[in-house]
Amino acid sequence: MSIIRIVNDIPVMENDLGVRYCPVKTGQGYGLGHFELNGTAFGKDEPAFLVESSVNWPYAAPYYEILENTDVRGVVRFYGISTKIRLDITVTLEKGSHLVTFDYALEPMLPVYKRLYAPVSFGTEEFSFIKYPYEDTLTATNLRSFEIETDYARVPFIFGRKAPGAYIGAGYYLTDDFANGRIGFDKDSSEFRISAQFRGMAKENDIQLGDFPSPNNIRFTDLGAGIRRSVKHLRFIVSIGATQYDLFRDYMDGCGYDFNVFFKYDADHYEEDWMDILENARYFEGKGYSMKISTDTGDMDLVSPHGSYGTIIATSCQMENACVMYDYYKRHPEAEWARTRAFEMADFFVSEQRESGMVPSYNADLGSKPQGMAIDADKNPYAGGHAVGMLEEAMGVSAMLRFYLAVKENEGEAKESWYKAALKLADWICSEVDEQGRVGRNYFADGSFDMYSYAMLNAMTPMDMFYDVTGESRFAEARDRLEKYIWENYIDTNDYVNLVGDSTSWLGSEGVPDNDCVGLLGIMAYCAMRHEKTGDARYTEAAKDVFVYLWSCNCPIDMPGFKHPTRGLMREQDFYCCFDSMLAISAHSAGLPYFAKVTQDPAFMQFYAISLQTLLSLQEKSDRFHGVHLGLEADTDGLTPIDVVAEGKHFYTTMGFGFGILASMQSPLHYRYTGGKNWGAGMDFRVDFSFDGMQEVPYVVAGSSVIRQISFNRDSKVLQIWCYDLTHTDVDVEVKWNGPWSMADSVVYYGYEKAPAAELFNKKSESLKIHVSGVDVPSKMVQIKLA
């Protein structure tokens, strides 16, 4: 069935996904009309393709013609002179696409002095929300007129949900001058407006009044050159889908986003640098490392901004460093210092724990006077006892449990005091989860706290972990209440306001709404953990929707002329203005590679690889200690990054800085390679091999190491998978069966072992899980002899 059909002299476009575009015909000509999805209409008919703002002058197209009409693609051209503009508009809809694309070529017949916009009918009065990155969610009850100047800090795409299963959005192409655009809503007309990236229009020259060529030079004169230079272009994309993921995913492909990664850094190099810091920077004997360290001296850094961070030893968060140090020691037994310090930091955690279960941070400058990372201005922790941040406590208790279990597995036993301290802290967190599923932000010795916060997101993971270990239902019940609150108040509403750890925390009040998106990685990591355990599809669906929104909140392009990449940077929303590396301020990244495998969408891993390379480009290269800087500084407009690292001569040791990437890589859900039947994506390396001719053989969906080569010999029927890992003697490879080959009679050769393929089949994942162990050279080969 062809995509275009004529209804009452109107070219209506509809594809196999139920995406329907309905132009409208009035006495003035053809207008933009409205959009539908499977019979659900978004808004009313817009009678014009273009409107001149301020004066509200509409422009309709007198004529149309069909340029292409098959079951694969439909293209309609609307054209003609409308008062003072010659319109030439091309609309395209393709099979299997959620996108309707618009390309306006506008020739001014007379000057146009106001900004022009296209009125895209969303039908805002019916919407449950309308969202633009970093802006407050607009609902039917608080909807107001607004305009947003687009910028380089976020993807220029605005969207909304009319009802579950009915989403619509519109945005610019990233290859166009989108940062000079403007988008907004008008509450009276209930229309979304996407404006031209230019203000006025006039001809470069007026051929009616200008100098006419003489007969001698007319053949050398191009009379149309000035007209062509005077034509202005406005392009935009309307996306329609049943889910948020559908809406964004096609837009990601269609808007010109660059998925390619310029690989410059690898995880092995990063681990060595971080271990060098931990071995040689100032270590407070038996305690740990200060939060803020100088890049040249390795000592605590007290310089503004955030000079007080240089004195704080975040006792709970130290356990994340203890985990990565102990993992390093297991692979490098000669690094006895790593084991010794990890044990000391765990013992210090125990010694600092209060009767309530809280573990406050320690002030290296004031000695016995503890200090929380975030302090309410109205409460003095020195006078009233101690302050702790729930976010830090939740991170610390998870790390302490992982550390205890790792030592016990590796050495046969571990100190029970570590486990008891972890359980005591988990008990306290569990007791603070209220009936609605909320926890506070900063807690004081008397048990009071300053406000509810997104720390509930971090608390979900340890509740799940301690339920697995203890089997005690109270942990599962607390986890479920936390999860229910997160879903109902953030994910279902698409409203991530104040989903950031330090939202105006230094001010000691709730302050203005903070639309930062730091917590979204944590949601994805939690969903990955729960999906791997339960197989529940709702975790996958939530992670997909969260992922595409997270993508929209980040700088989508590498700024021209910058030495630092900027894709993956996100703008701070608090009073402190800079462009953070997304991975540097979050200790959760395992969800991105995991869902690349589960959804078979390489965008998850590609986005992670881009963000990782952006993070590692911010690593100190000149001074003695190669820590990772916070991000890039912001220009004075607050909207644009500049090519200078933020906060200069120091780096942080908590959250995702340093240990965050390494801790995530220790997760069994974190992969260095993910792939499908005809694609492969590396976390920190380029996939150079081809998948040609391999679509009908088993394929690698995940690998814990670099996958250097995959090849298939049709004569011998042998699939070869070459893994490469400098630092690990063991690697894991996961293979999906595919094609006409019999698994029952196939054999897997791996490391020094071999086994029938059927013995390695995991029913839960429906894949072969192959563990190569004891190979002490970088290259490890897996062979599958197909029957």
Side-chain angles (χ1 to χ4, degrees):
M1 180 178 176
S2 299
I3 284 179
I4 304 171
R5 60 190 180 92
I6 308 302
V7 180
N8 298 325
D9 197 30
I10 298 172
V12 176
M13 312 175 79
E14 185 172 8
N15 69 7
D16 56 316
L17 299 181
V19 174
R20 193 167 191 247
Y21 169 53
C22 307
V24 65
K25 184 179 182 181
T26 69
Q28 305 301 314
Y30 295 91
L32 205 148
H34 73 275
F35 302 87
E36 298 178 8
L37 178 65
N38 294 320
T40 298
F42 297 95
K44 57 181 178 55
D45 279 323
E46 294 289 354
F49 273 107
L50 203 62
V51 178
E52 190 174 348
S53 61
S54 300
V55 295
N56 294 321
W57 192 277
Y59 296 93
Y63 314 107
Y64 80 86
E65 63 174 330
I66 296 175
L67 301 182
E68 184 176 343
N69 188 21
T70 67
D71 61 347
V72 175
R73 177 181 165 96
V75 183
V76 181
R77 175 190 177 221
F78 295 91
Y79 65 97
I81 296 175
S82 180
T83 60
K84 53 184 178 180
I85 300 178
R86 187 193 302 274
L87 304 174
D88 198 327
I89 300 167
T90 303
V91 186
T92 304
L93 174 64
E94 296 182 347
K95 179 181 180 180
S97 174
H98 295 95
L99 307 182
V100 185
T101 62
F102 291 82
D103 191 337
Y104 288 43
L106 308 173
E107 180 190 348
M109 311 307 292
L110 295 171
V112 176
Y113 299 111
K114 309 296 182 184
R115 189 187 281 263
L116 299 165
Y117 68 85
V120 181
S121 185
F122 276 19
T124 57
E125 73 285 347
E126 301 170 321
F127 269 52
S128 55
F129 66 76
I130 298 162
K131 190 72 176 176
Y132 188 71
Y134 294 118
E135 304 291 335
D136 288 345
T137 294
L138 305 174
T139 68
T141 56
N142 69 4
L143 184 63
R144 61 193 186 277
S145 295
F146 71 99
E147 283 194 327
I148 300 169
E149 302 287 346
T150 51
D151 54 63
Y152 287 117
R154 51 195 168 169
V155 173
F157 183 85
I158 194 166
F159 72 103
R161 181 179 71 191
K162 179 173 181 178
Y167 289 78
I168 188 171
Y172 295 100
Y173 286 81
L174 299 181
T175 49
D176 292 343
D177 192 15
F178 69 88
N180 284 320
R182 178 186 293 170
I183 62 176
F185 273 100
D186 178 74
K187 66 180 180 180
D188 295 323
S189 64
S190 295
E191 69 185 15
F192 162 70
R193 298 175 173 180
I194 184 163
S195 298
Q197 308 95 302
F198 46 87
R199 293 178 62 185
M201 287 197 307
K203 286 194 185 317
E204 182 180 280
N205 53 37
D206 191 334
I207 62 171
Q208 294 186 52
L209 302 177
D211 295 330
F212 284 92
S214 68
N216 292 329
N217 66 11
I218 188 168
R219 64 190 181 94
F220 301 110
T221 302
D222 182 355
L223 295 177
I227 294 176
R228 288 194 296 273
R229 287 192 294 267
S230 300
V231 173
K232 300 286 187 181
H233 292 271
L234 164 64
R235 297 196 305 163
F236 61 92
I237 297 170
V238 175
S239 185
I240 303 163
T243 69
Q244 189 165 303
Y245 174 78
D246 291 340
L247 186 83
F248 270 98
R249 192 58 189 84
D250 274 8
Y251 176 72
M252 290 173 74
D253 284 330
C255 70
Y257 179 69
D258 186 3
F259 285 98
N260 293 313
V261 189
F262 177 68
F263 288 104
K264 193 172 182 180
Y265 307 102
D266 61 72
D268 298 328
H269 127 121
Y270 181 61
E271 181 185 52
E272 290 302 320
D273 281 345
W274 188 248
M275 288 302 138
D276 175 73
I277 290 169
L278 294 178
E279 181 179 11
N280 297 298
R282 182 175 181 180
Y283 170 69
F284 291 87
E285 197 69 31
K287 298 179 179 66
Y289 304 86
S290 62
M291 284 179 57
K292 184 164 167 265
I293 293 179
S294 167
T295 58
D296 50 6
T297 68
D299 203 347
M300 57 183 184
D301 188 290
L302 305 178
V303 177
S304 182
H306 317 328
S308 62
Y309 278 5
T311 68
I312 298 174
I313 296 175
T315 310
S316 286
C317 292
Q318 291 299 309
M319 293 313 302
E320 290 282 6
N321 265 329
C323 286
V324 300
M325 291 162 74
Y326 190 73
D327 180 73
Y328 184 76
Y329 161 76
K330 287 193 300 181
R331 291 177 282 111
H332 302 274
E334 70 280 5
E336 181 63 34
W337 65 269
R339 179 186 183 277
T340 299
R341 292 184 183 183
F343 276 47
E344 289 175 350
M345 289 153 63
D347 289 340
F348 186 63
F349 181 103
V350 174
S351 70
E352 289 297 290
Q353 189 169 42
R354 300 306 191 254
E355 186 60 34
S356 63
M358 303 179 195
V359 181
S361 295
Y362 184 85
N363 192 303
D365 185 39
L366 300 174
S368 61
K369 302 286 188 182
Q371 176 178 327
M373 288 173 60
I375 305 169
D376 192 307
D378 297 326
K379 295 192 177 188
N380 184 345
Y382 304 126
H386 57 269
V388 300
M390 178 59 78
L391 182 150
E392 293 77 38
E393 299 297 270
M395 287 177 58
V397 73
S398 299
M400 175 58 99
L401 181 60
R402 296 200 315 272
F403 178 72
Y404 166 78
L405 294 173
V407 173
K408 189 173 183 179
E409 178 184 16
N410 188 55
E411 303 188 13
E413 62 179 359
K415 294 183 179 181
E416 285 303 305
S417 60
W418 299 341
Y419 176 72
K420 290 178 180 178
L423 183 59
K424 189 175 182 179
L425 179 50
D427 282 334
W428 174 72
I429 294 174
C430 184
S431 69
E432 291 300 324
V433 180
D434 72 7
E435 287 303 312
Q436 294 186 54
R438 300 174 299 181
V439 293
R441 182 180 61 183
N442 299 316
Y443 282 82
F444 301 90
D446 62 2
S448 62
F449 60 91
D450 55 355
M451 63 177 282
Y452 292 111
S453 84
Y454 103 112
M456 63 194 80
L457 171 64
N458 294 73
M460 290 192 297
T461 296
M463 293 300 95
D464 188 67
M465 291 172 63
F466 277 88
Y467 172 67
D468 286 346
V469 170
T470 67
E472 296 182 16
S473 60
R474 58 198 175 92
F475 290 118
E477 291 165 0
R479 175 203 66 205
D480 292 344
R481 292 198 303 275
L482 289 161
E483 183 181 298
K484 185 173 184 288
Y485 188 88
I486 291 288
W487 254 252
E488 291 180 351
N489 292 277
Y490 292 111
I491 297 175
D492 291 347
T493 63
N494 218 87
D495 188 0
Y496 299 106
V497 172
N498 289 333
L499 195 68
V500 62
D502 64 355
S503 172
T504 59
S505 57
W506 302 331
L507 302 181
S509 64
E510 295 194 31
V512 298
D514 187 323
N515 295 279
D516 220 331
C517 57
V518 176
L520 300 187
L521 273 178
I523 292 176
M524 290 192 64
Y526 175 80
C527 287
M529 178 184 68
R530 292 293 293 153
H531 180 267
E532 198 276 336
K533 289 179 181 180
T534 69
D536 191 336
R538 79 187 188 98
Y539 292 113
T540 302
E541 295 309 308
K544 287 162 62 177
D545 285 351
V546 166
F547 164 62
V548 290
Y549 183 72
L550 173 66
W551 171 78
S552 77
C553 294
N554 284 264
C555 185
I557 65 168
D558 285 323
M559 298 288 284
F562 275 38
K563 63 182 178 182
H564 295 99
T566 55
R567 280 182 297 166
L569 292 181
M570 57 190 193
R571 192 174 70 202
E572 279 232 23
Q573 293 293 288
D574 217 321
F575 58 89
Y576 183 71
C577 195
C578 74
F579 282 82
D580 293 328
S581 165
M582 176 183 67
L583 298 181
I585 52 178
S586 175
H588 309 283
S589 59
L592 285 163
Y594 177 79
F595 284 111
K597 181 193 82 168
V598 169
T599 66
Q600 282 291 283
D601 183 353
F604 288 85
M605 182 64 104
Q606 290 164 331
F607 182 61
Y608 178 60
I610 289 167
S611 301
L612 179 61
Q613 292 302 310
T614 297
L615 167 75
L616 295 181
S617 77
L618 298 169
Q619 190 177 13
E620 176 60 40
K621 307 298 191 300
S622 302
D623 287 349
R624 167 65 182 86
F625 294 95
H626 300 171
V628 175
H629 292 289
L630 179 70
L632 295 183
E633 289 188 5
D635 207 342
T636 52
D637 62 5
L639 301 173
T640 312
I642 58 177
D643 202 14
V644 177
V645 295
E647 302 190 11
K649 302 284 285 184
H650 66 257
F651 59 93
Y652 294 93
T653 64
T654 59
M655 302 300 289
F657 297 96
F659 66 68
I661 301 301
L662 303 182
S664 291
M665 288 178 63
Q666 292 174 14
S667 166
L669 304 182
H670 197 283
Y671 311 113
R672 209 157 170 180
Y673 171 91
T674 56
K677 295 178 183 179
N678 56 6
W679 66 273
M683 181 193 83
D684 59 346
F685 67 96
R686 185 176 62 250
V687 174
D688 287 324
F689 50 86
S690 169
F691 296 91
D692 290 345
M694 296 177 60
Q695 281 70 37
E696 294 184 357
V697 298
Y699 55 94
V700 179
V701 291
S704 65
S705 70
V706 171
I707 302 295
R708 201 173 65 186
Q709 178 67 45
I710 301 175
S711 62
F712 179 61
N713 186 310
R714 290 195 172 273
D715 294 330
S716 63
K717 299 182 178 62
V718 172
L719 179 71
Q720 282 191 343
I721 305 161
W722 283 98
C723 307
Y724 186 84
D725 198 302
L726 281 170
T727 61
H728 296 77
T729 59
D730 295 7
V731 297
D732 292 282
V733 180
E734 187 173 348
V735 174
K736 280 280 188 181
W737 208 256
N738 184 44
W741 316 97
S742 169
M743 185 187 300
D745 298 319
S746 297
V747 180
V748 180
Y749 298 84
Y750 54 101
Y752 304 113
E753 307 289 336
K754 75 173 183 175
E759 288 186 7
L760 301 175
F761 184 72
N762 184 291
K763 291 183 179 180
K764 182 179 177 181
S765 62
E766 296 184 335
S767 62
L768 303 186
K769 292 201 170 182
I770 306 166
H771 180 74
V772 181
S773 62
V775 181
D776 57 0
V777 294
S779 292
K780 291 94 173 167
M781 185 174 68
V782 173
Q783 292 191 105
I784 303 178
K785 172 69 174 177
L786 300 175

